[in-house]
């Protein structure tokens, strides 16, 4: 049976790291409040010369090197972002040209913080149906550009960055390797809970992020618990068989509450929110890359990816490395 296998990963962060204390010099907040409510200690903020496209390209190059795959072998690039370099063309085409693998399929996916799960699910389906053999799946964001820096309830929560994986269509190995199950959902009735108040077709401006934090929190725990249970059921695997959960890094308290609800061992959850803050579509592949490179995630491990974001959108995917 042909399955998509994750064979490499890479990530990229802007040069400038901003601590909570530095943020508190210009925003009415404190390190104590941010750490206690969110677990965030610092975030990276893109400079003028750093864009979603440049961060995505750097992460993609590292993922290709890690997988030992040449750019010319890549037939599909899906880039998840809510902060593209331009309204069009897709930032994925910028990455394609920078890598020099022109001619294959390249497009962006917009599902905000769940974007990487949507991109991975789409790429997996395309690989299994033979539309490409090797793909780059990227999550990249420069959320600092759409934050209202006068709104302390949102601006302290987000950061910029990119993460990428290479996936390849291969026969499922003896250990039942590859992406085993994926579930994606959206419920547009909640799109006013987390949105950007602008766009090309409405205001003609980029707009700023707006969020009802408490409502998002409540829905996140319920939706994530449900979708994780669905994926485990589809794969016929028990929660205690999971080696690592790589969740969207929105808030340490959402991660704790979801783990408690499902009875997951908190030591098996990859947590990078303290270092990167919420990087939206970039957060899952960024956290995955950190845990692979520091040796936690190893070949043969069963890894659950999950995310929830504006729309609302949410999803989960289970893969054996
Ligand atoms: N610094 C200091 N005080 C603050 C700050 C800040 N940065 N932000 C809000 N406050 C104050 C509020 O004004 C309020 O003061 P008041 O009681 O005098 O009115 C007080 O802190 C409590 O505010 P709440 O909004 O009730 O705080 P809460 O405990 O709900 O935490 C938070 C807010 C962190 C946003 C929380 O609701 C949350 O994590 N929500 C999830 C949202 C999220 O993670 N979204 C990410 C995008 S979606 C996703 O990725 C899943």
């Amino acid at each position: 049976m042909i399955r998509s296998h994750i064979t490499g990963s890479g990530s990229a962060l802007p040069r400038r790291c901003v601590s909570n204390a530095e943020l508190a010099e210009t925003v009415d907040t404190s390190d104590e409040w941010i750490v206690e409510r969110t677990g965030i200690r610092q975030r990276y903020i893109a400079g003028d010369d750093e864009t979603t496209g440049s961060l995505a390209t750097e992460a993609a190059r590292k993922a290709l090197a890690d997988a030992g795959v040449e750019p010319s072998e890549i037939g599909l690039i899906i880039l998840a972002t809510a902060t593209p370099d331009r309204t069009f063309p897709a930032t994925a085409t910028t990455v394609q040209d920078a890598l020099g693998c022109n001619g294959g399929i390249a497009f962006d996916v917009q599902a905000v913080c769940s974007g990487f799960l949507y991109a991975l699910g789409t790429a997996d389906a395309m690989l299994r149906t033979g539309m490409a053999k090797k793909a780059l799946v990227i999550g990249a964001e420069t959320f600092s550009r759409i934050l209202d820096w006068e709104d302390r309830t949102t601006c302290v929560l987000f950061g910029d960055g990119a993460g990428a994986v290479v996936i390849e269509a291969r026969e499922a190995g003896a250990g039942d390797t590859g992406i085993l199950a994926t579930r994606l959902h959206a419920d547009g009735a909640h799109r006013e809970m987390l949105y950007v108040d602008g766009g090309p077709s409405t205001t003609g401006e980029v707009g700023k992020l707006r969020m009802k934090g408490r409502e998002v929190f409540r829905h996140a725990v319920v939706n994530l618990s449900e979708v994780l249970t669905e994926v485990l059921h589809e794969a016929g695997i028990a929660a205690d068989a999971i080696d690592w959960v790589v969740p969207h890094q929105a808030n340490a308290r959402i991660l704790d509450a979801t783990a408690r609800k499902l009875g997951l061992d908190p030591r098996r959850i990859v947590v990078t929110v303290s270092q990167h803050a919420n990087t939206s579509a970039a957060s899952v592949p960024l956290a995955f890359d950190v845990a692979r490179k520091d040796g936690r995630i190893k070949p043969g491990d069963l890894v659950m990816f999950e995310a929830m974001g504006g729309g609302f959108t949410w999803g989960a995917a289970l893969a054996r490395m």
Side-chain angles (χ1 to χ4, degrees), residues 23 27-31 33-34 36-38 40 112-114 143 151-158 194 209 211-218 220 224 248-254 278-280 283 307-310 312-313:
L23 206 58
V27 179
D28 179 18
T29 189
S30 66
D31 179 50
W33 192 95
I34 300 171
E36 192 197 312
R37 304 285 175 130
T38 71
I40 296 165
V112 207
C113 300
S114 316
F143 254 50
D151 175 11
R152 67 177 183 171
T153 68
T154 54
C155 73
V156 303
L157 304 174
F158 297 90
L194 176 54
L209 181 145
M211 178 174 73
K212 296 190 178 120
R214 283 203 169 176
E215 299 299 319
V216 175
F217 191 107
R218 201 165 52 78
L224 289 172
H248 170 49
Q249 310 284 322
N251 182 316
R253 289 189 301 147
I254 295 180
N278 181 347
T279 57
S280 182
S283 88
M308 138 113 189
F312 290 135
T313 55

Side-chain angles (χ1 to χ4, degrees), residues 114-170:
S114 316
F116 181 76
L117 267 297
Y118 269 68
L120 188 67
T122 307
D124 173 39
M126 291 174 76
L127 254 53
R128 281 188 291 110
T129 52
M131 291 183 76
K133 288 202 161 50
K134 297 185 186 185
L136 267 167
V137 182
I138 308 168
E141 303 276 19
T142 42
F143 254 50
S144 60
R145 313 274 214 252
I146 55 163
L147 296 175
D148 176 352
W149 287 98
E150 312 224 310
D151 175 11
R152 67 177 183 171
T153 68
T154 54
C155 73
V156 303
L157 304 174
F158 297 90
D160 302 333
V165 297
V166 173
I167 62 171
E168 302 184 38
R170 286 186 185 164

Side-chain angles (χ1 to χ4, degrees), residues 48-127:
D48 292 343
D49 61 335
E50 293 168 313
T51 66
T52 295
S54 72
L55 293 167
T57 303
E58 187 185 334
R61 282 209 172 98
K62 290 178 182 167
L64 287 170
D66 186 40
V69 167
E70 292 298 323
S72 57
E73 298 176 66
I74 295 294
L76 167 67
I77 300 176
I78 307 185
L79 190 152
T81 190
T83 48
D85 288 2
R86 293 176 172 168
T87 302
F88 79 81
T91 306
T93 62
T94 304
V95 175
Q96 188 204 49
D97 190 45
L99 295 176
C101 52
N102 310 43
I105 308 164
F107 63 96
D108 288 359
V109 155
Q110 219 290 38
V112 207
C113 300
S114 316
F116 181 76
L117 267 297
Y118 269 68
L120 188 67
T122 307
D124 173 39
M126 291 174 76
L127 254 53

